[in-house]
């Protein structure tokens, strides 16, 4: 594998090569669980299982001794997301005598919840777990967003309202301390405990909003409450800041991408935005058309022309706004492209299972009739997947040295059925401009781009069910190419 040597004698099981930190490995295993679920390809399942079980730590909560000097609350959360996905996707269970996926998910949540800190800032998680680590004096959004999303998913999976209560507590703290701008539904980076969290660091990262988007959708699906439905819609409206209207609605990381200041971690953030938008689309079905449009616009106008680099011809760059491949590559870039493409298949598979509604021998449609998306979605004119695009991708696929075979049929399963009977009321549109500040390394010029990105995409072209079928064929081809590029040296 290009970025993984954990199954070799000089590697660490479950961990990718430098410069990728341990947390991003947890994120990558989550991507491959979804890859298996969307495609039926089991090629990497044993590698994923081995990696997840090798890192549980002495208390089965993803605090391994090897990471004691560097692990943060957000790092732990991403491994929690992976095992939560394994439970929800009914991924192959660990062997007898090993901790099971649900057990691991709950252990991660409760070990994080125990660190909820009311001694200052009236609550919230600190960024770091250990006092000796740089950042211990900072309460950031992603640490709390991780706890929020785990709480929401466990509430739905277990049916235990205690988790929903925790999610409400976290939301109230984020809003109360000022890390959520409730006018525009923008989530900011964090605040220092040195001034009791009164000074907000206003960088916007897509994965913060993504965690709260999906968490709200899970809670809507679990409670059928219009409160969580409205919050889901408002966050979705606020996501416009991460889509560039000038390029036809391509996804980008607003705080660092235009100034080329995205570090190794940040280059993977779009993966989580795509993953959690996909989950939202199926858990809160009225969002499906809008999310589908975001993904297709990004793929057609960005991903397909970016993932043309490297010696294999399918290596993806950091910025999908660039004209062609931008000469960068890495785990985060490949994972972002893979997640964006594979989440176009979200309506071809069952919704996340719950602990009381696991797969049965009877097959079922993903959506109930009452919650199916409409047969048309609004996309910008440039988002048509033409026959020439399909031909080009097919040609690339035939030239690739390896390809993953997709199973012809997925395992029969019974999805969680969601009703739209309590669809939330319409929410007002967020402001079409932003004054979010840039990172210290960046120039102020990208503030104007953030404002531009929040403009609504044009909605001129209705797409039929047949068009979507073509999209899904192209999507499968892209997934094959991306996975080949990611794992080519396996």
């Amino acid at each position: 594998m290009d970025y993984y040597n954990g199954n070799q004698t000089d590697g660490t099981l479950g961990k990718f090569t430098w410069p990728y930190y341990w947390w991003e490995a947890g994120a990558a295993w989550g991507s491959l669980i979804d890859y298996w679920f969307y495609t039926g390809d089991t090629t990497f399942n044993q590698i994923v299982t081995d990696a997840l079980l090798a890192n549980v730590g002495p208390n089965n909560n993803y605090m391994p001794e090897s990471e004691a000097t560097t692990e943060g609350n957000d790092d732990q959360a991403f491994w929690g997301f992976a095992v939560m996905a394994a439970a929800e996707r009914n991924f192959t269970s660990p062997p007898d005598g090993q901790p099971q996926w649900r057990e691991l998910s709950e252990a991660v949540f409760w070990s994080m919840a125990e660190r909820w800190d009311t001694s200052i800032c009236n609550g919230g998680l600190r960024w770091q777990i250990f006092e000796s680590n740089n950042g211990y004096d900072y309460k950031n959004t992603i640490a709390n967003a991780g706890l929020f999303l785990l709480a929401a998913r466990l509430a739905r999976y277990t049916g235990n309202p205690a988790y929903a209560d925790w999610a409400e507590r976290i939301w109230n703290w984020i809003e109360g301390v000022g890390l959520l701008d409730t006018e525009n539904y923008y989530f900011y980076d964090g605040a220092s405990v040195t001034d009791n969290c009164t000074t907000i660091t206003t960088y916007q990262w897509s994965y913060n909003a993504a965690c709260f988007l999906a968490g709200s959708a899970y809670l809507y699906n679990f409670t059928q409450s219009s409160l969580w439905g409205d919050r889901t819609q408002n966050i979705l409206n606020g996501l416009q800041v991460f889509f560039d209207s000038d390029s036809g609605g391509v996804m980008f990381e607003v705080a660092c991408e235009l100034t080329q200041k995205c570090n190794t971690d940040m280059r993977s953030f779009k993966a989580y935005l795509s993953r959690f938008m996909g989950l939202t689309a199926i858990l809160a079905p009225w969002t499906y058309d809008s999310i589908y449009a975001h993904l297709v616009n990004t793929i057609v106008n960005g991903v397909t022309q970016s993932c043309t680099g490297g010696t294999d011809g399918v290596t993806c760059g950091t910025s999908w706004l660039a004209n062609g491949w931008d000469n960068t590559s890495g785990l985060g870039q490949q994972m972002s492209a893979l997640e964006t493409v594979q989440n176009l298949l979200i309506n071809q598979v069952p919704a996340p299972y719950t602990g009381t509604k696991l797969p049965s021998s009877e097959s079922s449609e993903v959506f109930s009739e009452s919650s199916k998306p409409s047969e048309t979605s609004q996309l910008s004119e440039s988002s048509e997947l033409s026959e020439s695009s399909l031909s080009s991708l097919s040609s690339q696929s035939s030239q690739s040295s390896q390809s993953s075979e997709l199973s012809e049929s997925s395992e029969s399963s019974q999805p969680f059925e969601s009703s739209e009977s309590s669809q939330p009321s319409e929410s007002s549109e967020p402001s079409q401009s932003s004054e979010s500040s840039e990172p210290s390394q960046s120039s102020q010029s990208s503030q104007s781009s953030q404002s531009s990105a929040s403009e609504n995409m044009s909605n001129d072209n209705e797409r039929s069910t047949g068009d979507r079928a073509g999209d899904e064929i192209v999507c499968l081809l892209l997934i094959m190419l991306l996975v080949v590029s990611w794992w080519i040296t396996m």
Side-chain angles (χ1 to χ4, degrees):
M1 308 171 194
D2 282 346
Y3 309 110
Y4 183 67
N5 66 351
N7 55 355
Q8 299 174 15
T9 55
D10 59 342
T12 301
L13 194 58
K15 195 170 181 177
F16 286 74
T17 56
W18 181 257
Y20 305 108
Y21 287 108
W22 178 76
W23 80 269
E24 195 167 343
W29 304 129
S31 290
L32 287 177
I33 289 171
D34 279 353
Y35 166 75
W36 155 76
F37 194 69
Y38 290 139
T39 67
D41 183 1
T42 62
T43 300
F44 312 113
N45 286 13
Q46 190 59 54
I47 297 172
V48 172
T49 298
D50 292 344
L52 292 176
L53 294 179
N55 285 269
V56 298
N59 297 312
N60 294 335
N61 59 5
Y62 287 96
M63 294 186 66
E65 294 176 354
S66 61
E67 302 302 320
T69 60
T70 60
E71 184 174 356
N73 279 301
D74 52 344
D75 304 337
Q76 187 183 15
F78 272 88
W79 284 83
F81 295 161
V83 289
M84 189 74 247
E88 292 173 337
R89 300 306 198 188
N90 201 36
F91 192 65
T92 303
S93 297
D96 291 342
Q98 295 276 6
Q100 302 300 299
W101 305 132
R102 171 177 170 170
E103 176 187 347
L104 291 166
S105 304
E106 294 193 280
V108 169
F109 173 83
W110 288 112
S111 66
M112 292 179 67
E114 287 175 358
R115 296 192 286 270
W116 185 260
D117 175 26
T118 58
S119 67
I120 195 164
C121 303
N122 200 34
L125 285 180
R126 294 173 184 258
W127 177 19
Q128 295 299 318
I129 296 172
F130 304 104
E131 189 171 355
S132 59
N133 285 351
N134 184 35
Y136 184 76
D137 61 352
Y138 194 64
K139 293 193 174 182
N140 68 346
T141 297
I142 190 56
N144 291 278
L147 186 62
F148 173 80
L149 181 52
L150 283 173
R153 295 171 81 161
L154 284 166
R156 180 178 176 273
Y157 189 84
T158 67
N160 185 348
Y163 289 114
D165 292 341
W166 261 102
E168 185 69 48
R169 177 184 304 178
I170 299 160
W171 179 283
N172 290 341
W173 182 79
I174 287 284
E175 182 177 343
V177 81
L179 293 175
L180 167 61
D181 169 3
T182 54
E183 180 180 354
N184 302 299
Y185 272 76
Y186 296 155
F187 290 87
Y188 299 130
D189 183 72
S192 174
V193 303
T194 57
D195 64 355
N196 199 34
C197 297
T198 56
T199 303
I200 303 300
T201 305
T202 56
Y203 313 148
Q204 289 188 73
W205 306 109
S206 61
Y207 70 166
N208 286 327
C211 287
F212 278 99
L213 174 73
S216 296
Y218 270 93
L219 290 164
Y220 166 75
N221 193 278
F222 174 58
T223 66
Q224 295 293 297
S225 165
S226 61
L227 171 67
W228 288 113
D230 287 342
R231 287 172 172 173
T232 301
Q233 185 61 53
N234 287 334
I235 299 169
L236 183 59
N237 294 342
L239 288 185
Q240 291 288 352
V241 74
F242 300 109
F243 294 89
D244 178 54
S245 59
D246 291 339
S247 64
V250 173
M251 185 187 301
F252 75 114
E253 200 60 45
V254 68
C256 67
E257 195 168 307
L258 295 180
T259 52
Q260 299 181 3
K261 297 294 185 181
C262 297
N263 65 23
T264 299
D265 289 351
M266 298 166 191
R267 292 167 190 164
S268 72
F269 287 177
K270 289 180 289 196
Y272 321 125
L273 177 56
S274 296
R275 182 192 303 179
F276 296 143
M277 285 173 62
L279 287 171
T280 298
I282 200 167
L283 293 167
W286 76 90
T287 68
Y288 179 90
D289 284 352
S290 177
I291 287 171
Y292 186 91
H294 278 312
L295 294 176
V296 171
N297 289 335
T298 295
I299 293 165
V300 172
N301 299 317
V303 173
T304 54
Q305 53 91 29
S306 175
C307 296
T308 57
T311 57
D312 57 7
V314 290
T315 294
C316 303
T318 301
S319 178
W320 301 333
L321 300 175
N323 183 20
W325 182 47
D326 64 4
N327 292 304
T328 68
S329 61
L331 175 62
Q333 290 93 321
Q334 292 303 117
M335 185 161 48
S336 292
L338 175 64
E339 287 278 18
T340 303
V341 173
Q342 70 186 15
N343 273 280
L344 202 64
L345 301 176
I346 190 68
N347 70 337
Q348 303 300 307
V349 296
Y353 299 118
T354 69
T356 57
K357 198 162 188 178
L358 290 170
S360 69
S361 59
E362 297 178 3
S363 61
S364 176
E365 294 296 325
V366 172
F367 291 105
S368 64
E369 287 296 323
S370 63
S371 63
K372 283 185 179 179
S374 65
E375 291 190 353
T376 60
S377 68
Q378 305 296 319
L379 304 179
S380 61
E381 287 185 357
S382 60
S383 293
E384 286 290 344
L385 292 181
S386 64
E387 291 183 7
S388 61
S389 298
L390 179 56
S391 175
S392 173
L393 286 168
S394 298
S395 175
Q396 289 182 48
S397 180
S398 65
Q399 293 170 6
S400 181
S401 61
Q402 295 183 11
S403 65
S404 301
E405 292 188 7
L406 307 182
S407 66
E408 294 182 359
S409 61
S410 59
E411 188 174 334
S412 296
S413 53
Q414 183 76 22
F416 180 91
E417 294 184 1
S418 168
S419 170
E420 278 192 280
S421 60
S422 57
Q423 183 171 331
S425 59
E426 293 184 5
S427 305
S428 60
E429 290 292 323
S431 169
Q432 301 303 309
S433 64
S434 167
E435 297 182 1
S436 160
S437 64
E438 291 298 313
S440 58
Q441 305 98 316
S442 307
S443 69
Q444 295 296 319
S445 62
S446 58
Q447 287 186 3
S448 60
S449 69
Q450 182 162 317
S451 175
S452 174
S454 65
E455 296 178 3
N456 288 329
M457 293 184 296
S458 60
N459 295 312
D460 302 319
N461 187 32
E462 291 190 351
R463 296 175 59 80
S464 67
T465 303
D467 291 330
R468 288 189 176 180
D471 294 352
E472 287 152 7
I473 293 171
V474 174
C475 179
L476 284 168
L477 288 169
L478 277 170
I479 290 172
M480 291 164 62
L481 291 169
L482 291 167
V483 172
V484 165
S485 177
W486 189 355
W487 302 95
I488 195 73
T489 59
M490 180 178 173

